[in-house]
Amino acid sequence: MNSIYFQEEHHMLRDQVRRFVDEEIRPHGESWEEAGMIPREMYRQMGELGFFGICFPEKYGGSGMNQFGMITLGEELGRSSFSGVSSSVLVHMSMSSPHLVRAGTEEQIARYLPKILSGETVCCVAVSEPDAGSDVAGIRTRAVRDGDDWVINGSKMFITNGYHGDLYFVAAKTDPSAKGSRGISMFIVEKGTPGFRPGRKLEKFGNLCADTAELIFEDVRLPLENLLGEENRGFYAVMQNFQTERLAIGTMATSEAQTALDLTIEHVRNRKAFGGALMDKQAIRQRLAMAHSKIEAGRQLLYHAAWLDNQGIDCVQEVSMVKVFCAEMVNEVMYDCQQFHGGMGYIRETAVERMVRDARLHAIGGGATEVMLEEIAKRWN
Ligand SMILES: Cc1cc2nc3c(=O)[nH]c(=O)nc-3n(C[C@H](O)[C@H](O)[C@H](O)COP(=O)(O)OP(=O)(O)OC[C@H]3O[C@@H](n4cnc5c(N)ncnc54)[C@H](O)[C@@H]3O)c2cc1C
């Protein structure tokens, strides 16, 4: 990768992840899609290779890389063409476990992080609810203090890794009288805690191998030490973590768009019609060249926003642009890629058919396009 943003450590990581994707994901992805789940063994293999700790500090067993570590790994996962795998893995390592490392006490980190890094524990972040997705401040799951316990009641919706997961970072209202975004706290909930269970495993349009579930909390008692971070400051933790989450979605989107484009270029080079290859048609070539240009624009915006974030510069506006631009761009690119695959683009055995379905989520999850546009507009002086 010829780019000012990547160092030797990223190149080495890229080679390692690429090998892993070619040997351990691509050959099995289709059967995982059919099964609607990813085997635990894959997480353990990734854990053994040290992938889950790449962005965590060395003192906790990580490699201490910056956002370009996550981007490198996410880009290579995107090459697999299985977005369900990317989203399950990135939820585990970049969207949920950072809550623990950023806000957890040394005891909480020592207790949970080693098994997260080894892939024995799979994590989830549970914010969305049946009545509150875009509007995080509107969540209704309630945590009430009762003696030495917190008691949680409520439900969560659309939680990635929620059905087969082990450890849940859950947002709940701790002060319902507080205005707007105040009064939310984060909690650590372990699988098997009495009163807590996954509800339905949700059947989806795409990302079939990444499990997505409802979660039910009925008088779930947690010891006080399961509060994660400061009481009533959970909204800010969620917002802070959204930055990494949105960079991760931007990474998935650009990498998947590139992968679909590569598959389509190969297809139109080989497919013959009207006495030549489809690639000979200027209309097709130019549409694909435009797609390529848009992918590159998204990629450079992603890298720039990640660089700003690494410098500790406020970049909510830029990260929101990454989320909007890359999520919309991947859907445009997928449309063209499916179009130029012709009938085969509509058939289940073609990777592009699956990728079209998977890409749709990027514009909805982790902050829908319209919500991101508001984040951009809010910051105009
Ligand atoms: C497969 C999948 C996996 C997910 N994984 C997780 C997870 O692991 N953890 C988690 O907490 N959540 C998860 N989510 C939830 C996801 O983040 C939400 O679906 C998303 O934030 C949108 O919320 P909503 O579905 O409640 O839509 P709503 O908030 O009801 O919004 C519906 C639509 O209205 C529009 N809209 C909303 N607000 C505005 C506005 N202010 N201005 C203009 N238009 C607006 C948008 O187009 C939006 O898509 C997942 C969702 C899916 C589908």
Side-chain angles (χ1 to χ4, degrees):
M1 163 88 37
N2 196 7
S3 167
I4 52 166
Y5 298 108
F6 295 90
Q7 318 298 327
E8 191 49 34
E9 60 178 3
H10 302 118
H11 299 317
M12 285 164 60
L13 174 67
R14 188 178 294 284
D15 289 344
Q16 222 186 352
V17 183
R18 185 166 291 199
R19 250 194 326 275
F20 184 80
V21 165
D22 287 342
E23 290 168 12
E24 306 296 341
I25 298 180
R26 276 180 198 248
H28 309 295
E30 209 58 75
S31 64
W32 299 347
E33 287 277 296
E34 275 164 31
M37 65 179 291
I38 299 165
R40 275 316 177 88
E41 188 51 25
M42 190 208 74
Y43 292 95
R44 280 191 284 267
Q45 286 174 320
M46 291 188 82
E48 256 172 48
L49 290 164
F51 292 159
F52 296 142
I54 53 174
C55 295
F56 292 141
E58 289 171 28
K59 67 173 176 171
Y60 296 136
S63 321
M65 287 192 198
N66 57 27
Q67 294 287 18
F68 288 97
M70 180 278 290
I71 290 175
T72 302
L73 188 132
E75 285 183 334
E76 290 305 313
L77 286 177
R79 283 184 56 258
S80 75
S81 86
F82 292 96
S83 189
V85 176
S86 308
S87 51
S88 178
V89 167
L90 289 170
V91 163
H92 172 70
M93 63 171 273
S94 299
M95 304 185 198
S96 53
S97 52
H99 276 282
L100 176 71
V101 175
R102 286 197 181 125
T105 61
E106 290 300 321
E107 289 74 22
Q108 288 171 329
I109 293 171
R111 177 162 180 195
Y112 295 111
L113 193 61
K115 285 191 173 175
I116 292 174
L117 297 190
S118 69
E120 285 163 87
T121 293
V122 173
C123 305
C124 326
V125 57
V127 178
S128 304
E129 299 188 355
D131 295 321
S134 305
D135 183 11
V136 173
I139 63 166
R140 291 201 204 147
T141 294
R142 202 59 182 94
V144 178
R145 212 171 143 167
D146 180 28
D148 286 342
D149 290 335
W150 285 100
V151 181
I152 304 196
N153 277 290
S155 63
K156 295 287 170 184
M157 188 66 172
F158 307 127
I159 307 308
T160 303
N161 299 338
Y163 202 76
H164 297 291
D166 305 289
L167 195 64
Y168 300 74
F169 303 112
V170 178
K173 270 252 152 94
T174 35
D175 181 1
S177 65
K179 286 230 167 69
S181 50
R182 277 166 287 182
I184 292 173
S185 306
M186 295 298 292
F187 293 89
I188 303 174
V189 181
E190 294 178 36
K191 178 170 80 177
T193 306
F196 168 61
R197 63 187 162 87
R200 279 180 305 155
K201 182 170 181 246
L202 300 163
E203 297 295 331
K204 304 193 296 296
F205 179 66
N207 274 17
L208 302 184
C209 64
D211 79 77
T212 309
E214 285 177 331
L215 304 178
I216 316 255
F217 301 82
E218 285 168 344
D219 291 329
V220 178
R221 282 194 171 265
L222 299 175
L224 294 185
E225 64 260 25
N226 281 34
L227 174 73
L228 180 60
E230 240 180 284
E231 189 177 336
N232 295 329
R233 302 278 304 168
F235 181 84
Y236 307 102
V238 171
M239 291 303 134
Q240 193 191 10
N241 221 59
F242 265 148
Q243 291 293 96
T244 304
E245 180 165 339
R246 288 165 183 164
L247 290 174
I249 294 170
T251 304
M252 283 191 261
T254 47
S255 175
E256 289 161 19
Q258 183 69 58
T259 302
L261 178 68
D262 293 344
L263 289 169
T264 307
I265 290 173
E266 194 188 327
H267 178 80
V268 299
R269 274 192 180 133
N270 294 327
R271 179 77 179 164
K272 302 285 184 288
F274 303 102
L278 287 178
M279 180 64 103
D280 297 338
K281 309 285 172 211
Q282 190 184 43
I284 293 182
R285 232 174 25 239
Q286 292 201 349
R287 277 261 286 283
L288 294 179
M290 181 57 87
H292 192 181
S293 309
K294 287 183 183 171
I295 296 167
E296 193 56 33
R299 189 183 285 130
Q300 295 305 324
L301 182 59
L302 165 73
Y303 292 170
H304 174 62
W307 178 84
L308 289 174
D309 194 62
N310 286 338
Q311 310 308 307
I313 298 169
D314 181 333
C315 54
V316 176
Q317 192 176 49
E318 288 83 354
V319 170
S320 305
M321 289 174 180
V322 168
K323 175 69 174 60
V324 166
F325 185 85
C326 297
E328 295 296 319
M329 175 276 287
V330 67
N331 280 287
E332 276 178 47
V333 170
M334 288 299 170
Y335 183 93
D336 283 353
C337 290
Q338 187 175 38
Q339 185 72 16
F340 297 141
H341 270 75
M344 282 315 287
Y346 202 68
I347 300 298
R348 278 279 154 121
E349 68 201 64
T350 307
V352 160
E353 181 275 338
R354 167 169 33 77
M355 298 182 82
V356 169
R357 285 184 286 110
D358 292 351
R360 197 63 191 82
L361 179 61
H362 295 316
I364 298 172
T369 289
E370 295 75 12
V371 175
M372 294 293 88
L373 290 172
E374 289 302 301
E375 290 300 319
I376 296 166
K378 244 189 241 175
R379 287 168 176 78
W380 292 336
N381 290 325

